[in-house]
Amino acid sequence: MVNYIWVFMTIIGIVFALINGTMEEVNKAIFDGAKEAVTLCIGLISVLVFWLGMMRIAEESGLLERLSKLFRPVVKIIFPEVPTNHPAMGYILSNMISNMFGLGNAATPLGIKAMEELKKLNGGKNAASRSMVTFLAINTASITIIPTTVIAIRMNYKSTSPTEIVVPTIIATILSAIGAILIDRYFYYRRSRKG
């Protein structure tokens, strides 16, 4: 569906440029945007590779396992329907830890696997379970300690202090995660009272 939206927006932009006689500016913007996208991607790769390497070291050293054990009681409270040793719990924890380190690219496949496992727990139904909705809310508003992508973008655009975003990011993401959980619980209890 999103692909159709992008194609539709592109076609409208080109038709509008043809009607207004601004096709030359559109072509210039396309090529400038493509050049900037490649430059930005190359700048992001270095930071993401570094942090993915750090995650691998943390995994090999057992740090991720210790972090999982530390967060498991909290996650168990948030996801009471998920059995403690179920694969979904492992994927949820891994996704949350990857998001904490700002590794959205690493967190995405873990989030998809978590949803697949949660769907199995839900009996394969197409309707989202309480745990699936909660996971989506938390994943969307995840706590981020090290915003690697934002730091990389700021470094790429020659920010004088690219890491000054860390503290505001921690505060904003903690508040967004708390808000997501509160809203999730509000609608869950409201719905359960009606049902």
Side-chain angles (χ1 to χ4, degrees):
M1 182 67 181
V2 173
N3 292 338
Y4 294 124
I5 294 170
W6 282 111
V7 169
F8 181 69
M9 287 173 41
T10 303
I11 291 170
I12 287 176
I14 291 171
V15 169
F16 187 78
L18 286 170
I19 292 170
N20 288 328
T22 57
M23 199 62 197
E24 187 176 327
E25 287 89 350
V26 170
N27 283 334
K28 184 179 182 314
I30 288 171
F31 288 111
D32 288 347
K35 179 182 172 187
E36 190 170 329
V38 170
T39 304
L40 184 62
C41 286
I42 290 170
L44 287 173
I45 287 170
S46 60
V47 175
L48 289 174
V49 166
F50 171 76
W51 282 107
L52 287 171
M54 294 299 285
M55 283 291 285
R56 184 74 177 164
I57 291 168
E59 182 181 1
E60 293 292 325
S61 69
L63 179 62
L64 285 183
E65 182 62 34
R66 280 182 247 137
L67 283 172
S68 292
K69 285 180 182 174
L70 177 70
F71 291 114
R72 193 174 294 273
V74 175
V75 174
K76 186 63 188 155
I77 292 169
I78 297 171
F79 298 96
E81 304 86 16
V82 180
T84 305
N85 294 324
H86 194 275
M89 188 63 77
Y91 287 122
I92 290 169
L93 285 162
S94 298
N95 173 272
M96 291 173 77
I97 291 168
S98 295
N99 277 326
M100 280 185 190
F101 290 106
L103 301 172
N105 294 334
T108 299
L110 296 168
I112 292 169
K113 291 298 285 181
M115 279 296 197
E116 289 172 357
E117 293 296 328
L118 290 171
K119 185 174 182 177
K120 288 178 190 173
L121 278 175
N122 195 29
K125 297 176 190 168
N126 286 330
S129 67
R130 173 187 176 190
S131 295
M132 292 169 83
V133 172
T134 302
F135 178 67
L136 182 62
I138 290 173
N139 189 45
T140 304
S142 62
I143 295 173
T144 304
I145 297 170
I146 304 167
T148 54
T149 305
V150 177
I151 290 171
I153 291 169
R154 290 170 60 88
M155 287 171 61
N156 196 48
Y157 286 105
K158 310 291 187 255
S159 172
T160 55
S161 182
T163 57
E164 72 183 357
I165 194 74
V166 172
V167 174
T169 299
I170 292 171
I171 293 168
T173 58
I174 286 173
L175 292 175
S176 69
I178 290 170
I181 292 169
L182 291 175
I183 291 169
D184 172 65
R185 290 302 185 246
Y186 169 76
F187 282 108
Y188 171 74
Y189 289 120
R190 186 172 160 207
R191 187 175 144 201
S192 62
R193 268 189 251 146
K194 285 182 180 179

